[in-house]
Structure formats: C-alpha cells, structure tokens
Amino acid sequence: MSNITNNRKRLIFLIITAIFIALTYVFTAFVNIRLPIMGNGGLIHLGNVPLFIAAIILGKKSGAVVGAFGMGLFDLLSGWVTWAPFTFVIVGLMGFVVGLIAEKKRTLPVYGLAFAAALLIKIVGYYFAEVILYKNFIVPFGSIPGNIIQVVTAAVIVILAIKPIELAIKKAGIL
C-alpha cells in the first residue's frame, strides 16, 4: 500500500508541475505587453506568477523545470528561438532559487528574499545574454527596467495570492 501511495503522490506532483509549465507558457504568451521603446523587442509578461507559485508550493526542482520549460517553450513557439537556450537556463535558475529559498521557511520576508534573488538572476542573466546576442555592452541596459517591472509585479501578485493557494491545497489534501 505504501508503494501505491508514493506512486500516486509522484504522479500528482508531475501532473501539477506540468500544469504549471502550461500556465507559465500561457501567462507569458497571452498576458503581456511588448515594449515599443526597446531595440530588442522587450516583453513584460506575467509568466513569473505561476513560476513563482510553483517554486514556492512544489519546491526547487519543479521551480526549475517550470521556469525552464514554460518560458523556454514560449520562446520556441513565439519566434524568439535565439532566446530559448538563454531563457531555459536563466528562468530555470530563477525557479530553482525561489524554491530553494522558500522551502526553508514560508514567510513574507523569505519570499521577498527569494523574489529579490530571482530579480538579480534575471537582470544579470539577460544582460549577458544580450551582450552575447547583440555584441554590445550598452544596449542590454535598456532591458533592465522591463525585467524589474516583470519580477516586482509578479512578486506582488504572488504575495497576495500565495497564502490562499496554500490553504486551498492543504484543505484539498492535494500535496
């Protein structure tokens, strides 16, 4: 019976991770604003919301997988193929770090630290990705405001939503 229970829990975990991958893709692809001022076609989206929720609820491994595949899939399917390898690594790392930090203690200050770490990873990661793609050290600075807006907006939404989501999951006995 114990083996069946463990298999059931693993299956539910995989299904929920897959759902969060899909949500991350959808929130990136369809809940976004393209920045007209950016030379690189910058995009502000809400894909970080399901990514951060997955990382907090499911942990670092799911956070990494959701970030890497959810947003990497967006790049592949939306014509930003050149960005896909960078996104896979950068956003996968963001999800991993948010999950790693948040799994220690589930409090608002810890979430704030996790989101700050994700923001740092996003800014530094995409800055160097743009340096590689554009062969220029100045142009990538134009992306930083959009990256800040993305992560801060997602952080605010997640902070407002995470406790009710955690309570609902606990009450439903899903995880």
Side-chain angles (χ1 to χ4, degrees):
M1 186 71 165
S2 176
N3 195 23
I4 292 171
T5 302
N6 285 339
N7 287 341
R8 182 179 183 277
K9 284 184 179 184
R10 277 190 234 149
L11 180 60
I12 290 170
F13 183 82
L14 287 173
I15 290 168
I16 293 172
T17 298
I19 289 168
F20 274 109
I21 290 170
L23 287 171
T24 299
Y25 168 77
V26 167
F27 275 58
T28 305
F30 302 112
V31 187
N32 66 56
I33 300 169
R34 291 191 188 270
L35 297 177
I37 60 171
M38 305 295 286
N40 62 2
L43 185 73
I44 295 177
H45 57 77
L46 292 182
N48 292 307
V49 172
L51 164 61
F52 291 162
I53 292 170
I56 289 168
I57 291 173
L58 301 172
K60 61 188 174 212
K61 289 180 185 176
S62 280
V65 170
V66 168
F69 286 97
M71 287 199 204
L73 186 62
F74 165 77
D75 283 350
L76 289 173
L77 297 178
S78 66
W80 298 34
V81 177
T82 307
W83 289 93
F86 297 106
T87 295
F88 189 87
V89 173
I90 295 164
V91 184
L93 184 59
M94 286 171 57
F96 182 85
V97 169
V98 168
L100 178 70
I101 293 170
E103 73 186 8
K104 304 287 187 227
K105 192 172 182 185
R106 294 176 180 252
T107 65
L108 189 58
V110 171
Y111 295 156
L113 177 63
F115 300 144
L119 176 60
L120 183 62
I121 291 165
K122 186 174 202 84
I123 289 171
V124 171
Y126 279 111
Y127 175 84
F128 285 108
E130 289 186 48
V131 166
I132 292 166
L133 292 173
Y134 300 125
K135 296 170 182 43
N136 184 308
F137 286 92
I138 304 302
V139 171
F141 284 109
S143 297
I144 293 173
N147 290 336
I148 293 169
I149 291 169
Q150 267 184 35
V151 174
V152 169
T153 301
V156 169
I157 293 169
V158 172
I159 286 169
L160 294 172
I162 196 68
K163 288 300 177 192
I165 292 170
E166 288 176 328
L167 289 172
I169 288 171
K170 187 176 180 181
K171 185 175 181 181
I174 297 172
L175 294 174

